[in-house]
Amino acid sequence: MNRIAILYQAQITPVKDGIQKPMKPGGYSDSGADIAFELIKNNINVITPVENPNQNNDKDWVFPDTKIGIEAALQKGAKIFWLNTVLYKHHNIENYFNKGLEFVGQTTKLVDVYDDKMFTNSLLKSNNIPIPKNELITIENYNNLLLELEFPVVLKPIRGRGSQGVTKIENSKELTNNLNKIFKKSSYGNAAYVEQYLYGQEITITVMPQGNYVINNKKEYFNRPWCLPAVKRFNHNNGIAPYNGTVAVMENSEVLSDKELQTTEIQEVYEHCIKSAQLIEIKAPIRIDCRANDEGKYFLFDLNMKPNMTGPSRPHRKKQDSLTLLSARKIGWNYFDLLSNILNQKWKFNS
């Protein structure tokens, strides 16, 4: 196979329409290093910035997603770029789309558009996909806010990252205090949104793009996106699943039982997730967080364009299964199986 370079996010994304997406410390270099280490361990041709990378140093294994970083990877013979970074329109990688290279990940245009959760919610709603009721809040209107939603609500960044900055709000005073904090810090830009709080079970579903896969040593072709088994979340902190940088997902998540996976409610939400993935034309896995109402009906509340892909490849990372890997294990995949199947979906840019 051609040489693979794995990119990580080296700098914060540009502000778009007044909205800022927060940056993960390290820019996903941790999961990038996990991926590189696992692939190399299984004799996949991955190049690294240094000749003898230290397994404890994440950035020895991955290239920054800057022009200098991409050019350095090309100098070392990279023909495939694994985009383990946050993408956006005019990202540096766009300059290399028409160079005959192959890519693993989403397109920059897709992420730029659908990372906006309000826009994506509107798209899903218009296609009869159930989402929680929500309302936009801006820095201009939040002091005179008259919410139509009843408390409690969930306050969220518009271009958020996992559960970072997500807060359950019990009353208007608490909402005002939290809005004051986030607008003062400008961590998420000049707008946010609230959505109704749902009291039912929370699950996460990884949706894989259509394509060829190997499952239980058999080749399978999926002619549309498909779902890995749903993972349920528990041990919430004030009603919100804790950020996985604080609590490892293995400590608060598990795949649903066989009986639960066969319920009508889960099968229905799978179809909604597949339809969502078709609408946005995914080229790599996405992760969709869903939550049930009092009657057990699931609503999609977050489409994550770049699921975390951490894994237990290095000795000091043994409890770093991502939500997607937890799910993949249910169908018999280990970390390498998951990564190699994702790698099989690599694509070339067609102008």
Side-chain angles (χ1 to χ4, degrees):
M1 180 178 282
N2 286 329
R3 291 182 175 180
I4 303 166
I6 297 166
L7 298 184
Y8 75 94
Q9 184 185 2
Q11 56 198 10
I12 196 163
T13 61
V15 173
K16 182 176 174 65
D17 300 327
I19 306 301
Q20 178 69 68
K21 186 179 180 76
M23 181 172 169
K24 179 183 179 180
Y28 300 98
S29 57
D30 58 345
S31 55
D34 292 341
I35 293 167
F37 192 92
E38 185 70 14
L39 293 177
I40 290 171
K41 189 166 68 178
N42 286 276
N43 301 312
I44 302 298
N45 196 350
V46 176
I47 57 172
T48 56
V50 297
E51 290 307 312
N52 295 297
N54 181 334
Q55 66 183 19
N56 295 311
N57 186 354
D58 295 339
K59 291 179 182 175
D60 279 5
W61 301 87
V62 290
F63 292 85
D65 63 348
T66 58
K67 182 179 180 182
I68 291 174
I70 296 167
E71 292 286 350
L74 289 169
Q75 288 291 323
K76 289 199 165 198
K79 297 294 184 184
I80 302 169
F81 281 90
W82 192 306
L83 307 178
N84 192 51
T85 182
V86 174
L87 299 170
Y88 48 87
K89 199 172 180 182
H90 305 309
H91 186 284
N92 291 302
I93 198 64
E94 287 185 359
N95 298 316
Y96 304 89
F97 275 175
N98 60 352
K99 305 288 186 184
L101 301 167
E102 292 181 296
F103 302 93
V104 178
Q106 312 294 359
T107 66
T108 51
K109 180 181 178 182
L110 183 149
V111 180
D112 193 77
V113 171
Y114 299 113
D115 236 3
D116 182 326
K117 298 186 189 305
M118 288 298 290
F119 178 89
T120 303
N121 282 342
S122 177
L123 173 72
L124 300 187
K125 184 179 180 180
S126 67
N127 282 276
N128 299 314
I129 294 170
I131 63 164
K133 295 176 182 176
N134 56 70
E135 292 184 44
L136 178 68
I137 301 174
T138 69
I139 197 168
E140 290 85 12
N141 74 4
Y142 83 101
N143 280 317
N144 301 301
L145 200 59
L146 292 173
L147 276 188
E148 293 182 15
L149 294 176
E150 294 182 3
F151 290 99
V153 296
V154 182
L155 175 63
K156 294 184 170 185
I158 288 177
R159 288 183 179 266
R161 190 175 60 78
S163 56
Q164 184 180 1
V166 178
T167 311
K168 183 184 176 188
I169 304 291
E170 300 290 348
N171 54 58
S172 56
K173 182 180 179 182
E174 196 176 322
L175 178 59
T176 301
N177 289 340
N178 277 272
L179 289 169
N180 280 329
K181 287 178 188 175
I182 66 171
F183 288 145
K184 186 176 181 180
K185 288 182 180 178
S186 296
S187 304
Y188 308 110
N190 60 17
Y193 74 105
V194 290
E195 68 183 20
Q196 67 179 129
Y197 179 77
L198 298 169
Y199 287 91
Q201 180 169 265
E202 181 174 337
I203 59 173
T204 273
I205 298 170
T206 296
V207 188
M208 306 295 287
Q210 72 176 74
N212 291 295
Y213 292 85
V214 177
I215 302 174
N216 295 324
N217 297 315
K218 293 180 181 178
K219 293 181 179 179
E220 288 193 46
Y221 176 71
F222 292 83
N223 62 6
R224 64 174 191 158
W226 59 284
C227 297
L228 291 175
V231 173
K232 65 180 170 184
R233 314 297 307 278
F234 48 86
N235 292 341
H236 287 55
N237 182 9
N238 189 31
I240 305 297
Y243 168 52
N244 62 18
T246 306
V247 179
V249 297
M250 293 177 70
E251 296 176 16
N252 62 12
S253 312
E254 64 183 17
V255 179
L256 294 177
S257 68
D258 290 341
K259 185 177 179 180
E260 289 172 308
L261 288 170
Q262 295 306 315
T263 62
T264 302
E265 291 80 6
I266 294 298
Q267 295 304 310
E268 283 181 354
V269 76
Y270 279 174
E271 286 302 316
H272 291 311
C273 290
I274 290 166
K275 185 176 179 181
S276 301
Q278 287 176 308
L279 284 170
I280 64 178
E281 299 180 346
I282 64 170
K283 289 186 173 293
I286 61 171
R287 201 188 73 227
I288 303 180
D289 298 324
C290 314
R291 200 155 182 168
N293 64 8
D294 295 343
E295 287 77 45
K297 177 184 176 180
Y298 282 97
F299 292 75
L300 284 62
F301 69 80
D302 187 12
L303 269 66
N304 189 322
M305 297 298 115
K306 194 223 155 299
N308 211 354
M309 282 296 158
T310 55
S313 59
R314 294 175 286 166
H316 67 291
R317 303 272 293 171
K318 290 304 178 190
K319 289 193 174 182
Q320 288 301 318
D321 281 27
S322 65
L323 289 164
T324 296
L325 179 52
L326 284 180
S327 184
R329 290 191 188 281
K330 181 70 174 176
I331 66 166
W333 284 352
N334 59 25
Y335 190 37
F336 177 66
D337 295 329
L338 172 63
L339 297 178
S340 60
N341 275 284
I342 293 173
L343 182 57
N344 283 344
Q345 313 315 315
K346 62 187 182 298
W347 50 272
K348 283 187 175 180
F349 181 74
N350 294 316
S351 56

